[in-house]
Amino acid sequence: MSSPAERYAAARRRAAQASQFPVLDEFALDLGVDLDDFQREACQALERGSGVLVCAPTGAGKTVVGEFAVHLALRGGTSAPAQRRKCFYTTPIKALSNQKYHDLVDRHGAAQVGLLTGDNAINGDAPVVVMTTEVLRNMLYAGSATLEGLAYVVMDEVHYLADRFRGGVWEEVIIHLPASVTLVSLSATVSNAEEFADWLVTVRGETAVVVSEHRPVPLWQHMLVGRRMFDLFHDADAARKHDVHPELLRHTRDTLRRLEPGEGRGAAPGGRRGPRWRGPMRPDIVDRLDREGLLPAILFIFSRAGCDAAVQQCLAAGLRLTGPEERAEIRRVVESRITAIPGEDLSVLGYWDWLDGLERGLAAHHAGMLPAFKEVVEELFVRGLVKAVFATETLALGINMPARCVVLERLVKYNGEAHVDLTPGEYTQLTGRAGRRGIDVEGHAVVVWSPETDPRHVAGLASTRTYPLRSSFRPSYNMAVNLVGSVGAEPARALLESSFAQFQADRSVVGLARQVQRNSETIEAYSAEAACQHGDFDGYFAIRVAIADRERALARQGQSQRRAAAVVSLERLRVGDVIRVPSGRRAGLAVVLDPATAGFGEPRPLVLTQDRWAGRVGPGDFTTPAEVLARIRVPKHFNHRSPAARRDLAAEVSGTGLDRHGGRRGGRSRRGGGEDDRLVQLRAELRRHPCHACPEREEHARWAERRRRLEKDTEELRQRVAGRTGSLARTFDRIVALLTARGYLAPDGAVTEAGRTLSRIWTEADLLVAECLRRGVWGGLSPAELAAAVSVVVFEARRDLDERASLPRGAVATAVDETLKLWGEIEADEAARGLAVTREPDLGFAWPVYRWARGEPLAKVLVSGHVDGEMPAGDFVRWARQVVDLLGQLADSGGASAELRSTARQAITAVNRGVLAYQATA
């Protein structure tokens, strides 16, 4: 405890600060809590008239600084209306905007606070308005009268400017805000806060930087090895030094030793491990957390299917984390929130299984869920009614949903292209959810150990504070016409030069040039090691590379042929056919319940496997054509959702006596169709080359391969060095040239009528949409046809697919063909000018939104999703909302005909029904 003298001195300091910062003292008294040092420092900077950048961990209380800016604006609002000051509070997502709006209304009253998002407009002329960042960007370009009197802008979660899809919006706002506006930037902990602040000073003037690494609730790190829980560090000093707890290291080494081949059954050839490691089951982990008082918990599983499976596993294990009163309250909340969802849709959405999990205190949370379901999970978790949530990493962003404990099942996640290790920044962001301020004394992060997980690597992730903010800003067509229209071409060019992206690019050139020099020296050393006394090893290695490239090309060609054969075989299947699924999670025997759905997309028959799983399979599940091995009788009204019915029919499948795996493993013939002539020629050249006889040939090849990779990396670095200085301005010049050539800008730099249309199109494919409007591509369509036609420019499948989705015949197919032709013209123009190419239209959402807009039931709509069988309800709602957003832009576009505007409004009404209508009013 402090001494009386120290307490007296602290009181004197507080009194001095109160006299120096009277508004802050008034705010703190009204808040009713003592401010942390970093909060006080940031608020003092604001009261002095400085902008401020606040970087602090999740849950540290950064938003208090934003609320002080609101207080400052309202305090000034008591004067004459002409001098009334406003504060805009921006957030990256609508859910956060809604949450912040309700918080501020509770504090200041509904008359003082407004809300502006894509879906809602409430009291937009209020002195305090909460909005998404895009809304403010659009206001700035339109010169909205609402900006009059704006004194403060709070940018919550400003680290979103690193987001590769939307991050540029944050920089546009920061650059374009009037100089009279004070900017309050709130960010998660980043390692280059000073660099970001240096840029803010150059574009916004005086900006104070306040960085706090302190977590208000201490975080303890653990590892779960089998059934035993270990502390990752012995104490705080060990954590600072990255010293792993000796007992944890000893136990994991002993466990690994027991898994080595030769000890126990299953010692495999080729150095693979013997006994297979079986980590703790998910229900056991939750039960353990419950017994140790570590619930509520978020268990991060980097897979949507994994999250759903985890809930089912816990239900099957009989876990129940709630009491009777809690279950009754959960059911009351759920029933009050889903009343707007039609009853026939609930079973399609898995409502009853979801409700069963909720009533037991268990839930999944991922982007594939219906948003309404996710909102209920969030509300129940925050209220402590749901105790364990299995979530993907998307939960680490967005709404405030802290827990006592966070569990990481793996330290590897799929980023859309490959499986990659978690970065220290991602690890910090995920574990930052642990520890609820004002509720928990401490938070806990648990990593589940597996043989691939080194505790020292976990210690590095837990102790490293490297989460640099990297700009994702790049000029777009919409941005170019708006900038040229508002300030002119040359001033617009200068504005782009002042972006954070260019600021970082200019700083990085020096380091890149040094790396090129180091790489060049290393390449020379590698060349010396690869030299061969028998002849020209560079020529020999070039032949080896050509052989490898040819083999890969042939493998891709063979895969395409196998897929085509699988498609034909699936189209021929009939009810009752017994087939063998050769690979994947559903490998084994299966009976066909419903043949391939005809009329669109690939064949995806509904099957029941001998393991009692019922679902649709597609060509991707078959490495060889599906062969009918037997036939069994399927009851006429068979209900594949009935466990008893599945059990009985699966027993019949097993009773056929057929081998589960068959005699072939994938059936991939290496010589089907004979050898490739070019491959034979290259291999002959290789054998004739003098270096082929060198006894050290493979050693030389290893050095040559290292050199080849480093040369490729070095060439990329050289291009980056050449392209970075003034890179944004050059890109802008090319965009302006393209827009001028296409008639969106006049030769003198004025914005044309077509350009004004483009300036009001806010989508990634902005120029393609503008071209479709100019050419009348979407004229004469019905509302459902229009929804399907515009979907191709907004939808993007989660994974790249080899084949193209089918389309509704007639007007939709014609409109999409015209859209694809326009895209081809734009792509050629972009490629000729060295610009990033507009993404190719994706046809995968046309059928679902077409069927939905025609009023068909949700069950049929979801199964018509082209991607991986049934489309998750959450994905359907998200993409449908984006289609509605673009339709709304068409309905308001001056470049669209009156007929098209009317059809767009009808299409919006047709799409906004059922689960979409709930979203529109929630």
Side-chain angles (χ1 to χ4, degrees):
M1 287 184 63
S2 57
S3 67
E6 288 171 332
R7 289 197 295 273
Y8 175 71
R12 289 285 300 272
R13 282 196 301 274
R14 283 196 298 272
Q17 287 177 346
S19 62
Q20 193 175 354
F21 301 101
V23 183
L24 175 56
D25 189 52
E26 171 192 302
F27 172 72
L29 281 172
D30 190 38
L31 208 60
V33 295
D34 288 336
L35 296 181
D36 291 344
D37 289 345
F38 86 91
Q39 294 169 330
R40 187 170 292 280
E41 182 185 348
C43 291
Q44 287 173 353
L46 269 181
E47 190 166 350
R48 284 196 302 268
S50 168
V52 65
L53 167 65
V54 183
C55 299
T58 301
K62 297 183 291 290
T63 54
V64 166
V65 183
E67 288 168 11
F68 181 59
V70 171
H71 180 82
L72 285 169
L74 290 175
R75 197 173 184 274
T78 57
S79 57
Q83 297 175 346
R84 189 177 74 160
R85 298 195 298 177
K86 292 183 179 179
C87 176
F88 287 174
Y89 198 113
T90 72
T91 73
I93 56 179
K94 293 173 187 174
L96 265 179
S97 291
N98 292 334
Q99 191 177 57
K100 199 70 212 175
Y101 167 73
H102 290 301
D103 290 346
L104 291 174
V105 165
D106 289 345
R107 185 172 174 78
H108 301 290
Q112 298 280 46
V113 185
L115 174 68
L116 293 174
T117 66
D119 298 334
N120 286 307
I122 303 170
N123 197 17
D125 292 325
V128 177
V129 184
V130 184
M131 62 186 68
T132 49
T133 316
E134 280 85 353
V135 169
L136 178 53
R137 185 270 311 272
N138 298 353
M139 277 186 187
L140 289 166
Y141 279 143
S144 171
T146 311
L147 296 168
E148 188 178 338
L150 183 60
Y152 298 93
V153 166
V154 180
M155 301 196 81
D156 204 353
E157 311 280 356
V158 75
H159 53 271
Y160 257 77
L161 69 76
D163 183 89
R164 68 191 182 102
F165 297 111
R166 299 170 56 214
V169 176
W170 273 254
E171 288 187 53
E172 287 182 80
V173 168
I174 292 169
I175 293 169
H176 288 54
L177 277 175
S180 58
V181 175
T182 300
L183 186 67
V184 182
S185 305
L186 310 179
S187 170
T189 308
V190 294
S191 52
N192 61 335
E194 287 74 17
E195 179 188 41
F196 184 48
D198 288 347
W199 173 69
L200 285 174
V201 168
T202 63
V203 293
R204 302 297 315 162
E206 184 184 355
T207 304
V209 188
V210 180
V211 179
S212 173
E213 295 275 351
H214 173 69
R215 281 181 52 95
V217 179
L219 179 65
W220 293 94
Q221 309 270 353
H222 314 277
M223 286 199 79
L224 183 62
V225 187
R227 294 180 179 277
R228 294 188 60 183
M229 184 95 79
F230 295 88
D231 289 340
L232 184 59
F233 303 113
H234 179 65
D235 54 28
D237 190 49
R240 281 191 292 273
K241 296 177 182 176
H242 301 201
D243 289 342
V244 178
H245 200 297
E247 190 180 348
L248 170 60
L249 280 177
R250 201 162 40 243
H251 186 75
T252 53
R253 284 171 185 154
D254 290 345
T255 305
L256 283 171
R257 203 172 295 120
R258 287 195 297 273
L259 294 173
E260 288 299 323
E263 293 190 22
R265 60 176 178 79
R272 292 172 62 190
R273 300 195 187 284
R276 185 180 172 192
W277 168 255
R278 294 190 181 277
M281 302 295 286
R282 289 161 177 165
D284 295 337
I285 294 175
V286 176
D287 186 51
R288 168 115 191 213
L289 297 176
D290 187 26
R291 283 186 282 110
E292 298 198 10
L294 294 180
L295 297 181
I298 299 171
L299 298 92
F300 284 108
I301 300 173
F302 303 120
S303 152
R304 296 177 177 186
C307 292
D308 294 333
V311 175
Q312 292 304 315
Q313 289 157 13
C314 291
L315 295 179
L319 267 185
R320 190 179 291 281
L321 306 173
T322 54
E325 291 182 4
E326 290 175 314
R327 288 196 291 277
E329 178 62 11
I330 288 168
R331 183 173 279 269
R332 188 196 65 76
V333 170
V334 172
E335 289 176 351
S336 69
R337 295 293 294 272
I338 56 89
T339 51
I341 300 176
E344 66 269 19
D345 292 345
L346 290 178
S347 58
V348 179
L349 297 167
Y351 170 76
W352 299 108
D353 286 344
W354 174 69
L355 178 59
D356 187 22
L358 289 178
E359 289 187 334
R360 298 192 193 197
L362 301 157
H365 188 289
H366 55 74
M369 292 172 62
L370 189 72
F373 284 15
K374 280 201 300 181
E375 290 167 17
V376 171
V377 171
E378 290 159 6
E379 179 182 340
L380 294 176
F381 188 81
V382 170
R383 291 180 56 182
L385 295 169
V386 165
K387 319 288 185 179
V389 168
F390 298 93
T392 56
E393 74 275 14
T394 53
L395 183 62
L397 306 170
I399 66 128
N400 181 30
M401 196 169 155
R404 180 168 295 165
C405 178
V406 162
V407 178
L408 298 182
E409 191 174 75
R410 298 179 66 205
L411 297 177
V412 175
K413 70 168 187 174
Y414 186 71
N415 66 359
E417 297 173 356
H419 286 90
V420 295
D421 291 334
L422 285 184
T423 64
E426 289 168 334
Y427 181 90
T428 302
Q429 200 169 36
L430 293 168
T431 56
R433 289 279 178 188
R436 298 164 297 172
R437 188 170 190 174
I439 302 174
D440 299 322
V441 177
E442 56 195 24
H444 298 267
V446 180
V447 175
V448 180
W449 182 85
S450 67
E452 298 78 31
T453 309
D454 186 343
R456 288 165 297 193
H457 173 61
V458 180
L461 288 174
S463 307
T464 306
R465 292 291 176 263
T466 53
Y467 181 40
L469 202 56
R470 295 279 175 253
S471 172
S472 60
F473 180 82
R474 63 180 179 85
S476 67
Y477 299 113
N478 168 284
M479 185 192 303
V481 291
N482 274 302
L483 281 174
V484 171
S486 57
V487 298
E490 279 308 309
R493 205 171 182 276
L495 275 172
L496 290 174
E497 291 281 17
S498 67
S499 68
F500 187 45
Q502 193 62 59
F503 186 83
Q504 287 190 313
D506 293 342
R507 282 193 169 190
S508 66
V509 164
V510 175
L512 289 175
R514 288 190 189 128
Q515 186 62 47
V516 167
Q517 180 59 36
R518 285 195 295 270
N519 285 5
S520 300
E521 293 168 2
T522 307
I523 288 169
E524 289 180 19
Y526 285 175
S527 296
E529 294 289 348
C532 178
Q533 59 186 8
H534 289 74
D536 174 21
F537 198 85
D538 289 351
Y540 176 76
F541 186 70
I543 298 172
R544 287 177 64 138
V545 171
I547 289 172
D549 290 345
R550 185 64 182 167
E551 286 175 339
R552 276 194 293 271
L554 290 173
R556 283 195 296 270
Q557 182 181 331
Q559 185 180 9
S560 177
Q561 291 170 349
R562 283 194 298 275
R563 191 178 185 93
V567 167
V568 172
S569 68
L570 290 178
E571 286 174 340
R572 293 173 178 165
L573 294 179
R574 297 292 175 264
V575 176
D577 287 346
V578 177
I579 60 174
R580 183 180 290 111
V581 182
S583 60
R585 289 182 300 146
R586 309 304 178 191
L589 298 175
V591 60
V592 177
L593 304 178
D594 179 35
T597 307
F600 53 85
E602 286 187 333
R604 301 192 66 84
L606 177 68
V607 302
L608 172 71
T609 68
Q610 63 190 113
D611 297 324
R612 307 181 192 176
W613 175 82
R616 294 195 178 271
V617 293
D621 297 302
F622 290 83
T623 52
T624 57
E627 181 183 353
V628 179
L629 306 173
R631 282 187 60 81
I632 62 175
R633 181 180 170 279
V634 177
K636 188 172 182 181
H637 299 293
F638 181 78
N639 179 10
H640 69 274
R641 300 187 188 276
S642 164
R646 289 203 305 268
R647 180 192 63 219
D648 294 343
L649 192 59
E652 282 195 53
V653 175
S654 298
T656 58
L658 294 166
D659 182 6
R660 180 186 181 93
H661 298 294
R664 296 162 62 188
R665 303 291 291 176
R668 298 191 181 202
S669 170
R670 291 181 62 83
R671 300 183 63 85
E675 278 285 21
D676 177 69
D677 291 341
R678 178 58 180 154
L679 206 52
V680 170
Q681 180 187 349
L682 286 169
R683 285 172 177 159
E685 286 180 32
L686 191 76
R687 288 191 292 272
R688 288 196 301 269
H689 199 286
C691 290
H692 195 65
C694 177
E696 297 180 348
R697 179 186 70 199
E698 294 308 310
E699 182 66 18
H700 294 322
R702 277 192 287 274
W703 286 108
E705 175 61 22
R706 289 173 189 162
R707 180 188 63 192
R708 184 176 76 91
R709 290 179 181 171
L710 192 58
E711 283 174 340
K712 183 181 176 183
D713 292 344
T714 306
E715 183 55 34
E716 289 178 1
L717 285 175
R718 286 197 179 100
Q719 290 175 3
R720 284 162 66 186
V721 169
R724 285 201 172 183
T725 307
S727 55
L728 285 178
R730 283 200 302 275
T731 301
F732 178 73
D733 291 342
R734 292 168 187 162
I735 287 174
V736 167
L738 186 151
L739 292 174
T740 303
R742 286 185 166 269
Y744 290 91
L745 294 173
D748 63 358
V751 178
T752 64
E753 190 62 38
R756 280 189 283 278
T757 298
L758 175 58
S759 72
R760 292 294 169 264
I761 295 171
W762 313 97
T763 183
E764 192 180 346
D766 46 12
L767 182 58
L768 180 57
V769 172
E771 286 288 295
C772 286
L773 286 174
R774 287 177 80 188
R775 309 282 184 93
V777 168
W778 295 324
L781 298 177
S782 71
E785 289 168 344
L786 179 61
V790 304
S791 75
V792 304
V793 299
V794 297
F795 178 72
E796 184 175 10
R798 292 182 70 211
R799 293 181 179 84
D800 290 334
L801 298 170
D802 298 332
E803 69 290 338
R804 215 174 88 176
S806 64
L807 291 164
R809 293 175 185 168
V812 175
T814 303
V816 171
D817 283 343
E818 288 299 312
T819 304
L820 287 167
K821 285 177 189 173
L822 286 175
W823 172 78
E825 293 173 15
I826 293 171
E827 181 200 31
D829 211 346
E830 289 168 330
R833 297 176 190 274
L835 288 168
V837 173
T838 298
R839 180 174 57 79
E840 183 177 3
D842 191 321
L843 283 50
F845 195 57
W847 264 112
V849 77
Y850 176 71
R851 290 187 139 199
W852 182 253
R854 287 178 59 187
E856 295 191 29
L858 185 63
K860 282 191 176 181
V861 169
L862 295 182
V863 83
S864 67
H866 177 66
V867 189
D868 297 334
E870 289 194 17
M871 174 174 276
D875 288 346
F876 171 73
V877 169
R878 185 170 70 256
W879 289 116
R881 295 302 300 158
Q882 293 203 28
V883 169
V884 167
D885 180 73
L886 181 54
L887 288 169
Q889 294 180 43
L890 299 185
D892 296 335
S893 173
S897 66
E899 179 200 4
L900 179 59
R901 291 199 297 272
S902 173
T903 306
R905 284 190 284 271
Q906 292 173 52
I908 291 170
T909 303
V911 175
N912 268 336
R913 66 178 182 87
V915 291
L916 266 295
Y918 173 86
Q919 278 307 107
T921 59

